[in-house]
Amino acid sequence: MTESVATKRKFDSLQQEAYLSLWRTYDRLRALEEKLFQTHGLTAQQYNVLRILNASSESMPTLAIASKLVSRAPDITRMLDKLETAGWIDRVRSPDDRRSVLIEITAAGRKKLKELEGPLAEMHEEQLGHVAAKDLRLLCDLLAKIRSPHEPEGTSW
Amino acid sequence: MTESVATKRKFDSLQQEAYLSLWRTYDRLRALEEKLFQTHGLTAQQYNVLRILNASSESMPTLAIASKLVSRAPDITRMLDKLETAGWIDRVRSPDDRRSVLIEITAAGRKKLKELEGPLAEMHEEQLGHVAAKDLRLLCDLLAKIRSPHEPEGTSW
DNA sequence: GCAATATAGTCGTCTGAACATCTATTGTCC
DNA sequence: GGACAATAGATGTTCAGACGACTATATTGC
């Protein structure tokens, strides 16, 4: 009810409403995530780098990490600089291809991830605990359908 | 199928998958939006300011605009600076409350909005044209449910 | 009616995102 | 095998986002 009234008043089209709703919802949930990461001294993107490295059994070249990240990262180099300074990753020039730089997570990096596990689960509960699992599943499937034509070839998304 | 495999492999929980899917999808659609706005010399947030002012019949105080925006805007002042420089808005000190600054859209601002109408509709079609209306409706409702506990009191969202 | 407090907006400053350009190394193809 | 193109990443620069401190005005409570 209120929805459709609001729609008529505020949006030019259903597509616009969908996009702005997506943006708004992301923004609201992001605020919670950012607050958490801030207290632990890293950013969401930095956390995702560690998560990706941890999930991979081996070290990965710089740009391979960038392509797996949630959000584009043209400044991946400087992001890794910070992670390296914090001691959470190591950089090694690949012997096979001296252009590429292999990144691996350090013990300290794994420790940091471990430390974040609990708080992160709590934060996700705060973000989405009020939503039924079947709705979340539905949401994930809808979103996958929505973004599929916009994914680059051979992406892991 | 592939979904649930991916889930087991890549995410720690359904909630995390939902949040990261949301982020990823937003990021993909945003890239299209940004490209469009860039060619027209404004940002998505700036466009939304104009859209809000245009929808309102009267001028609005600065912070009222900020609270209606999709994404938080602590730097609303400087955003408005740019819109003013471009000639799309006017600022007037309120005679009733000299603390507040009333913003109104100019004729040039309305013209700019008009100019963007067509390209914007095309862009939304590219973003979401492949998704059925009922799925978009479903998405909007799901998203509203998801963000509702995270909205500030008395928000227009 | 005056001190204390709240509100509206501005400004300084720092960090992160975006983009173009640059260097080093590797691959290609004649 | 040497010129040329492609790839991996680093770097310079510019701009938006975030946060706190600050000024001006209004409201409240005594």
Side-chain angles (χ1 to χ4, degrees):
Chain A
M1 300 289 139
T2 28
E3 275 299 316
S4 71
V5 170
T7 302
K8 289 206 182 72
R9 201 174 53 73
K10 289 172 41 187
F11 303 105
D12 299 335
S13 68
L14 177 57
Q15 290 170 351
Q16 187 189 43
E17 178 181 3
Y19 176 64
L20 292 181
S21 297
L22 189 66
W23 182 5
R24 176 67 175 185
T25 307
Y26 167 65
D27 184 74
R28 299 289 77 206
L29 299 189
R30 184 181 56 123
L32 296 171
E33 191 195 33
E34 265 178 13
K35 198 176 60 180
L36 173 68
F37 283 130
Q38 213 159 35
T39 67
H40 288 266
L42 67 173
T43 66
Q45 279 281 61
Q46 288 172 359
Y47 168 78
N48 273 290
V49 169
L50 293 181
R51 196 176 62 85
I52 287 165
L53 286 171
N54 195 49
S56 155
S57 47
E58 311 174 349
S59 62
M60 296 177 70
T62 300
L63 293 190
I65 296 174
S67 75
K68 277 180 177 282
L69 277 176
V70 183
S71 166
R72 255 161 327 152
D75 58 340
I76 182 75
T77 300
R78 274 173 282 225
M79 255 189 59
L80 294 179
D81 288 347
K82 281 162 209 150
L83 291 175
E84 193 178 21
T85 302
W88 296 327
I89 62 161
D90 277 338
R91 274 167 156 147
V92 187
R93 278 270 163 204
S94 165
D96 301 337
D97 183 341
R98 292 188 35 73
R99 286 171 305 181
S100 81
V101 175
L102 299 174
I103 312 294
E104 58 183 23
I105 190 167
T106 62
R110 289 189 203 278
K111 179 148 166 281
K112 190 73 189 176
L113 277 182
K114 198 82 186 170
E115 190 184 312
L116 281 164
E117 253 177 37
L120 206 56
E122 276 173 43
M123 188 276 295
H124 278 133
E125 190 63 26
E126 190 188 348
Q127 282 182 323
L128 293 167
H130 59 295
V131 185
K134 75 166 184 6
D135 282 350
L136 290 180
R137 185 71 263 147
L138 181 58
L139 176 73
C140 291
D141 294 346
L142 263 175
L143 291 174
K145 195 196 296 184
I146 287 171
R147 72 178 174 268
S148 65
H150 306 300
E151 289 291 3
E153 296 289 316
T155 182
S156 65
W157 287 93
Chain B
M1 301 289 139
T2 28
E3 276 298 315
S4 71
V5 169
T7 303
K8 291 210 181 67
R9 199 172 53 73
K10 288 171 45 187
F11 303 105
D12 299 336
S13 69
L14 177 57
Q15 290 171 351
Q16 187 189 42
E17 179 181 2
Y19 175 64
L20 292 182
S21 298
L22 190 65
W23 183 4
R24 176 65 177 186
T25 307
Y26 167 65
D27 184 75
R28 297 291 76 206
L29 299 189
R30 184 181 55 122
L32 295 171
E33 192 194 33
E34 267 178 10
K35 197 176 57 177
L36 173 68
F37 283 130
Q38 213 159 35
T39 67
H40 287 267
L42 68 173
T43 67
Q45 280 281 60
Q46 289 172 358
Y47 168 76
N48 273 290
V49 169
L50 293 182
R51 196 176 61 86
I52 287 165
L53 286 171
N54 194 50
S56 155
S57 47
E58 312 174 349
S59 62
M60 298 177 69
T62 301
L63 292 190
I65 297 173
S67 76
K68 278 180 176 282
L69 277 176
V70 184
S71 166
R72 257 165 321 156
D75 58 339
I76 182 76
T77 299
R78 272 172 284 222
M79 254 187 63
L80 295 180
D81 288 348
K82 281 161 210 152
L83 291 175
E84 193 178 18
T85 302
W88 297 325
I89 63 163
D90 276 338
R91 276 166 154 147
V92 186
R93 276 270 163 206
S94 164
D96 301 336
D97 183 341
R98 293 191 33 75
R99 286 171 305 181
S100 80
V101 175
L102 299 175
I103 312 294
E104 56 184 23
I105 189 167
T106 63
R110 289 191 203 278
K111 178 149 167 280
K112 189 75 190 175
L113 277 181
K114 198 83 187 169
E115 189 183 310
L116 280 163
E117 254 178 37
L120 206 55
E122 275 173 43
M123 188 275 296
H124 278 134
E125 190 63 27
E126 188 187 350
Q127 279 182 324
L128 293 167
H130 59 294
V131 185
K134 74 165 187 5
D135 282 349
L136 291 180
R137 185 71 264 146
L138 180 57
L139 176 73
C140 291
D141 294 345
L142 262 175
L143 291 174
K145 195 195 297 184
I146 287 172
R147 72 176 174 267
S148 66
H150 306 301
E151 289 290 3
E153 297 288 317
T155 181
S156 65
W157 287 93

